[in-house]
Amino acid sequence: MKLTDEQRAVVEHGAGHARVAAVAGAGKTTTLVARVLHLLQRGVPAQRILVLMFNRSAREDFQRRLATMAPSGVALPDIRTFHSLGHRLTASLTRWGALTPRQLLSADWQLERLLRQATQEVLSGEAAQRDMALEPDTLDALSHFCALVKAEMVTPQALYERLDLGEGTGHFPEAFQRLEALLAEHGLMTYADLLYRPLLAFQAEPALVVRVQGFLDQVIIDEYQDINQAQLRLLATLAGRSAEVMAVGDANQCIYEWRGAHPDTMRDHFTATFGPASDYPLSTTFRHGHALALLANHAIAANLRRPDQLCLAAEGNPATTLEVAQGRGALLEALDAWLAAGRRLDEACLLVRSWALSVPVQLRLLQAGVPFRLSREAHFVFRLPLVQALSGYLRLARDGALLRDPGLLLRLLEQPTPFVARERLGALARRLAETGEFPGNHDPLMASLKPVQRRNLKRRWALLGELPRLGHWPPARLLAHIVDTLEAEKVLKRAAARREKGEQDVRLLDVLIEQAGEAQAIDAFIELLERPVENHAEGLLITTVHGAKGLEWPLVAMAGVNEEDFPHYSRDNPLTPERLEEERRLFYVAVTRARERLLILHDGGEHRPSRFIAETAWQDCLRLDARLRGADVGNEALAVSSPRLMSRYLEALSRQVPLTQRQAEGLPLATPVDAASYRPGQWLRHAVFGEGEVVQVEGDPADPIIEVNFTRAGRRRLLAGRAPIERLDAGRARPGLAKGERA
């Protein structure tokens, strides 16, 4: 196989540990297959080599390629995931009597049943809190919490104190302990236990460590930046002091911090665990052209916790095109052009930061008759419980006879949740359908409920009775009225055990109201929400950026690239510097999935384009790419926003293009404000909005989001580092004050 000089250096690495920093599309699999074959040729026995891959599909792909490249009859080493390694280790420790036999839970519903039982037992004397804790979102958050305790190898109380969890989660540490007891009682274990239980056994009996060490000479780990503390400890235990470890990954693609990964794993944690290592870069991507390689370098440049490594496009790569556009119509135009060029829809992928942002795209594709498929079918817009409920509210506005349908009433009573047990809601729905009257406070159905629960249910019933009289309203007005009456935003935020989940549910409401505003009639909008759709195998794939990790497509479109959507934050959940860097890494992963074309879409209107779009300097990247490909033969200097970064790229390619610093766009400011010096009470002048007072500062202190109350334009949220603003001199008369008057 033909290798680059960088790849050959990795393959021929000699003694000691090694770290390989590989950019997206750098041919990691090819390099690691060659490395394994080199070790075998060097005389390392196959049984003393362990290769660890991130997931099953990566493992199967590696096994297939290794078997294809290896000489016939040659024994091949073990290729495993951490879960399969833990499974084998658990079996050994069980045979030795160090662990009791347990059966692995193979279905989600089995774990959910145990989580439900643990929650009920922990909150047995607190009915209202128990009902809230049994909500699907809270149970899902509890499941994540329990798995994270085991991934981080910390106590549940310590983890709970560190995490910023929502209301109604105080029982999580105790529920974890109860779940552990239930798993032991029933002889069961989760996938997280495949690593957690062996590590606990090693802690309890250090002599066991000796029995599992000394069997390996070489260990290779792919996607090292994504391993968590439990995986790192298990790896260190098996490697011991004799095995040489080669870690391969890209800190810029560390996007699983919420699952226990850390961007410093490649740099600091590796040497702290294994000792000094030789460092090798794999800087050349074989996926895309110069324009996208340059864009990727710009996209990640603002991160402080990143490797000082450029992504370089190999000669002969596709000449990737870049485009930034507003609105979902641009997606349809791009797909039409793609098909007109003889390409297929299944060669394209649409990426979103969260599933809520896929809803308007799904609706637009449905309207246009464009086939598509979702990587997770439960996220089809018409299958979302909240969407089904809102569609039901709209249907009721068109047909009051539906008040006699107990099934529909149950759907409307339980979404968004009133924090009442589903069994009780079902009984109430049947009563309401039969009698048409809401039961009194002393009725057995109501007597055990808290006053706030009774009031919420009564208000919801009043809304249901009112809706048939409002069927003539425009869809957006009616939907907004339903959302406001239900206090849906507050309820969804309260019901979500994880803050981001609540914010995404609220974003879904915003998306639906926006879409309703484009509909001409309620009936047409209801039909759109309820249209039966299945995955089309040859349609456009829609998935999240997390789901796209490790994959690539000729055409990649990104939807919803708006400020506050991507990066994701809100007034209640402001950006910290660490979260901003994680969001930027997620954006970096998204853009580097494309081979031939990248289309970045923002919504416009009230949604500002994401700061990440400006950071990419995508137009500069296109201009330099044209020079490098000879499409632009001009000799004048190119004006770019980051000449130093561009110069480094050219130097790495041994190419020369004259560059100059492009002046920032916008009005010159007489007294620019240092982004780090904003504070409430400060008065500013904006080139468009005029004068106003800073009322709130949030986000990264070095580049905050500021909220300013402008005299003429009202409250506006601005990106501090990019807004055309200047500070008013101290002592100047403020708008609305007479000269000499004090505020």
Side-chain angles (χ1 to χ4, degrees), residues 450-457:
K450 289 187 173 182
V452 66
Q453 292 174 310
R454 291 197 293 266
R455 285 196 301 270
N456 288 340
L457 289 173

Side-chain angles (χ1 to χ4, degrees), residues 698-711:
E698 60 188 51
D700 183 356
D703 186 17
I705 304 295
I706 60 172
E707 185 168 338
V708 183
N709 188 17
F710 290 102
T711 305

Side-chain angles (χ1 to χ4, degrees), residues 306-327:
R306 63 174 175 83
D308 185 21
Q309 179 182 16
L310 290 180
C311 173
L312 307 171
E315 291 299 324
N317 282 5
T320 313
T321 61
L322 311 175
E323 183 181 353
V324 174
Q326 177 180 317

